[in-house]
Amino acid sequence: MRLYDYDFCHGIVHGGWGGGIIGSLNDMRESLWENFREMDFENADAKEEMRDVIEEMTAEINDLISDIQSVHFR
């Protein structure tokens, strides 16, 4: 019997413990945007710079999710 079988690995990635890795990354992405919306900016330039940073972070999270989802367990 293998310890890390399909069901175990799938559970870690997609669900089970706290929503799984994918769920945690989705929560993180949403938290970034929620925190951005709650920030009080003194000028438009600072807001645009922060929006660019958040968009870059979001893109990296999306890429990571795609990479993780491309792994298939047997």
Side-chain angles (χ1 to χ4, degrees), residues 19-68:
I21 294 169
I22 301 294
S24 294
L25 290 170
N26 285 326
D27 291 347
M28 183 185 309
R29 183 181 53 213
E30 293 304 317
S31 292
L32 287 171
W33 285 109
E34 183 178 332
N35 289 337
F36 173 75
R37 288 187 294 272
E38 293 175 358
M39 288 181 186
D40 184 25
F41 293 97
E42 293 185 21
N43 64 51
D45 289 338
K47 184 174 184 175
E48 284 305 310
E49 286 179 25
M50 184 56 72
R51 179 185 301 278
D52 291 343
V53 169
I54 299 298
E55 287 175 349
E56 184 177 332
M57 292 171 74
T58 299
E60 289 180 11
I61 290 170
N62 291 337
D63 290 345
L64 181 56
I65 289 171
S66 293
D67 287 346
I68 291 169

